[in-house]
Amino acid sequence: MELISNLVHQLSNGAYDLFSFTLIISIIVFVHEYGHYIIAKACKVKVESFSIGFGPEIFVFHDKSGTRWKLSAVPLGGYIKMLGDSNAGSVPANQQKLTEEEKLYSLHTKPRYKKAAIVFAGPFANMVLAVIAFTIFFSTAGYYRTPPVIGSVIKGKPAEQAGLLPGDIITQINEYKIKYFEDISRVITSNPKTRMEIEYSRNNQKHRTSLTPLTIKNEDAFGNVIERETIGVTSVDITGLKQSSFLGAMNLSVSETYHAMCLTIKALFQIIVGKRSINEIGGPIKIAKYSGQSAKQGFTMVLYFIAILSATLAAINLLPILPLDGGHLFFYVVEVVMRRDLSLKCQKYAATFGATVLFLLMAIAISNDIRHLF
């Protein structure tokens, strides 16, 4: 009976995670694609279809302009297909086969600055969503702006061995200026397995020391056990330092969105060069798990997760790989430099190569997800 009960519980959690994932990812994808859509319409490009998800269609309707809006069965992304596209990845078709009237509304007959604006609008919409979600989260839950003063030094940890003491003010780690205590964790997280040169102030005198962070197991915001690096210091007493002003929350939200995007790009580069493990790449199963966990913790945590995920997807979409938005932008830059359009064959080869890379990354991510389940 206990085995059956556990199985039912796991299936129930799985269904809840799947529902939460579908809802959250659909919101993020809709915002992304709607960013493309509204700028395409402003540039007088005909949008033939707008899809949330891939695969078999669940729900379809057509608007007055002829756009086919659809909800599809596989909630792992979405796309808009514009007139002149040969596929959902916006690889151009042969524009000579279009009528003269169709050419007026084709994406690929528009000036490059308009094409670039349409392409960039998707990731930009995700950045805006991240800032809005972070702002509501910080305004509701509050936030800390803690001075970079060491409150205590944990015995046996790198900070103690490097000679740091309570009351020291950390001002810089490597080339990064430290304004708040929260910046210390951000710098350490984004630079794994790196020896840190630390500048600090003690009794109004500047000092320098160096240390290598220690990897420990800890819990993330959703209660999952993760590995993270620490130097072994805590902040001063933060009682009374919690803030909730809207302008302060908005300013912090812009900063958090920027740092989340930078960390995403930096982490991918570090995986490529071997500084991070490829096992850190997570896929849809991991996202579904976090979606369910955030939903169980309430609306504010859902907003936080949406903000993180939206900023992350914005960064990934700006990578210079077709069929990602960054790949199209990269091609436009190349065309400007070369002063001519790249051939359809070149673009199709690049799209095939990019799709293969993305498929391999997805396969690795799903493999990691499955391995972490057992």
Side-chain angles (χ1 to χ4, degrees):
M1 287 296 293
E2 184 178 350
L3 179 63
I4 295 175
S5 177
N6 288 337
L7 180 60
V8 170
H9 179 70
Q10 288 180 1
L11 290 173
S12 176
N13 280 341
Y16 187 84
D17 291 350
L18 179 61
F19 174 78
S20 302
F21 168 78
T22 301
L23 183 61
I24 289 173
I25 203 70
S26 294
I27 291 171
I28 294 171
V29 169
F30 176 82
V31 168
H32 178 94
E33 300 303 336
Y34 196 71
H36 290 310
Y37 175 82
I38 57 174
I39 302 302
K41 299 293 283 186
C43 294
K44 293 184 169 53
V45 172
K46 178 176 174 56
V47 179
E48 294 183 328
S49 58
F50 187 120
S51 177
I52 301 299
F54 300 99
E57 299 172 353
I58 298 174
F59 174 76
V60 175
F61 76 92
H62 293 80
D63 64 18
K64 293 180 181 179
S65 67
T67 301
R68 181 182 179 86
W69 296 75
K70 54 186 180 178
L71 181 65
S72 300
V74 185
L76 293 177
Y79 63 89
I80 65 170
K81 184 176 180 296
M82 292 170 273
L83 182 62
D85 289 343
S86 65
N87 55 36
S90 284
V91 175
N94 188 343
Q95 304 300 297
Q96 300 304 317
K97 294 183 179 180
L98 301 177
T99 67
E100 291 303 316
E101 183 179 359
E102 286 176 330
K103 288 179 181 178
L104 294 175
Y105 300 99
S106 170
L107 168 67
H108 302 285
T109 58
K110 297 296 181 183
R112 288 193 190 94
Y113 75 91
K114 287 189 176 182
K115 292 192 287 186
I118 294 169
V119 168
F120 181 69
F124 182 74
N126 280 138
M127 295 178 212
V128 173
L129 174 61
V131 170
I132 292 172
F134 269 136
T135 299
I136 299 173
F137 172 78
F138 289 129
S139 296
T140 305
Y143 57 93
Y144 293 99
R145 281 307 207 191
T146 316
V149 181
I150 297 176
S152 64
V153 178
I154 301 174
K155 190 174 182 180
K157 293 294 189 289
E160 183 192 47
Q161 296 166 3
L164 293 172
L165 298 173
D168 290 346
I169 303 171
I170 296 179
T171 57
Q172 186 168 325
I173 300 178
N174 291 347
E175 71 272 23
Y176 303 97
K177 297 291 184 182
I178 303 299
K179 188 176 181 181
Y180 301 105
F181 193 87
E182 293 75 20
D183 296 333
I184 299 172
S185 177
R186 178 180 292 122
V187 171
I188 294 171
T189 301
S190 62
N191 296 277
K193 303 175 184 176
T194 302
R195 188 157 185 83
M196 304 288 180
E197 297 293 331
I198 296 179
E199 290 187 10
Y200 63 97
S201 174
R202 178 186 296 168
N203 298 324
N204 294 322
Q205 292 186 337
K206 290 184 177 181
H207 300 272
R208 294 177 67 92
T209 188
S210 62
L211 54 80
T212 300
L214 180 70
T215 301
I216 63 170
K217 289 187 176 181
N218 205 338
E219 290 188 352
D220 62 18
F222 302 103
N224 300 298
V225 177
I226 59 170
E227 288 189 347
R228 71 176 183 87
E229 293 192 322
T230 182
I231 62 173
V233 296
T234 63
S235 65
V236 294
D237 184 8
I238 59 176
T239 304
L241 292 175
K242 199 170 191 177
Q243 303 175 44
S244 59
S245 74
F246 178 78
L247 289 179
M250 181 176 288
N251 181 57
L252 178 58
S253 299
V254 173
S255 174
E256 287 298 308
T257 300
Y258 170 77
H259 287 301
M261 292 179 65
C262 288
L263 180 58
T264 299
I265 299 298
K266 194 168 185 179
L268 285 173
F269 176 76
Q270 289 168 342
I271 288 172
I272 292 171
V273 300
K275 204 170 184 179
R276 285 181 183 269
S277 170
I278 199 169
N279 294 331
E280 292 187 35
I281 299 176
I285 298 175
K286 184 176 182 179
I287 297 173
K289 176 185 174 183
Y290 275 76
S291 297
Q293 290 173 336
S294 66
K296 288 174 183 175
Q297 292 188 34
F299 179 66
T300 54
M301 285 307 295
V302 170
L303 283 174
Y304 178 80
F305 184 62
I306 285 175
I308 292 291
L309 191 56
S310 190
T312 300
L313 291 179
I316 291 173
N317 263 289
L318 287 173
L319 292 173
I321 303 171
L322 284 177
L324 298 178
D325 296 323
H328 293 289
L329 292 172
F330 176 72
F331 265 57
Y332 298 152
V333 171
V334 171
E335 288 178 343
V336 169
V337 173
M338 295 178 63
R339 298 184 179 180
R340 65 177 178 84
D341 292 341
L342 293 169
S343 68
L344 292 179
K345 182 183 288 188
C346 176
Q347 294 186 57
K348 287 179 179 179
Y349 280 142
T352 301
F353 172 77
T356 302
V357 171
L358 294 177
F359 175 80
L360 289 174
L361 287 174
M362 180 61 73
I364 291 170
I366 293 175
S367 174
N368 287 341
D369 286 352
I370 294 172
R371 185 164 47 79
H372 290 149
L373 284 176
F374 302 101

PDB file of all heavy atoms in Angstrom, residues 194 230 235 294:
ATOM      1  N   THR A 194      37.838  29.713  -9.485  1.00  0.00           N
ATOM      2  CA  THR A 194      38.714  30.852  -9.770  1.00  0.00           C
ATOM      3  C   THR A 194      39.327  31.377  -8.474  1.00  0.00           C
ATOM      4  O   THR A 194      38.621  31.559  -7.478  1.00  0.00           O
ATOM      5  CB  THR A 194      37.927  31.997 -10.440  1.00  0.00           C
ATOM      6  OG1 THR A 194      37.341  31.507 -11.644  1.00  0.00           O
ATOM      7  CG2 THR A 194      38.845  33.170 -10.767  1.00  0.00           C
ATOM      8  N   THR A 230      31.561  29.137  -1.827  1.00  0.00           N
ATOM      9  CA  THR A 230      31.499  30.125  -0.754  1.00  0.00           C
ATOM     10  C   THR A 230      32.912  30.458  -0.285  1.00  0.00           C
ATOM     11  O   THR A 230      33.831  29.651  -0.434  1.00  0.00           O
ATOM     12  CB  THR A 230      30.667  29.595   0.430  1.00  0.00           C
ATOM     13  OG1 THR A 230      30.595  30.602   1.454  1.00  0.00           O
ATOM     14  CG2 THR A 230      31.296  28.343   1.018  1.00  0.00           C
ATOM     15  N   SER A 235      27.000  38.382   6.405  1.00  0.00           N
ATOM     16  CA  SER A 235      26.839  39.840   6.455  1.00  0.00           C
ATOM     17  C   SER A 235      26.587  40.305   7.885  1.00  0.00           C
ATOM     18  O   SER A 235      26.376  39.497   8.797  1.00  0.00           O
ATOM     19  CB  SER A 235      25.674  40.267   5.565  1.00  0.00           C
ATOM     20  OG  SER A 235      24.465  39.753   6.071  1.00  0.00           O
ATOM     21  N   SER A 294       7.857  26.454  -7.580  1.00  0.00           N
ATOM     22  CA  SER A 294       7.553  27.883  -7.441  1.00  0.00           C
ATOM     23  C   SER A 294       6.061  28.097  -7.252  1.00  0.00           C
ATOM     24  O   SER A 294       5.642  28.939  -6.446  1.00  0.00           O
ATOM     25  CB  SER A 294       8.060  28.661  -8.665  1.00  0.00           C
ATOM     26  OG  SER A 294       7.352  28.296  -9.840  1.00  0.00           O
TER      27      SER A 294
END
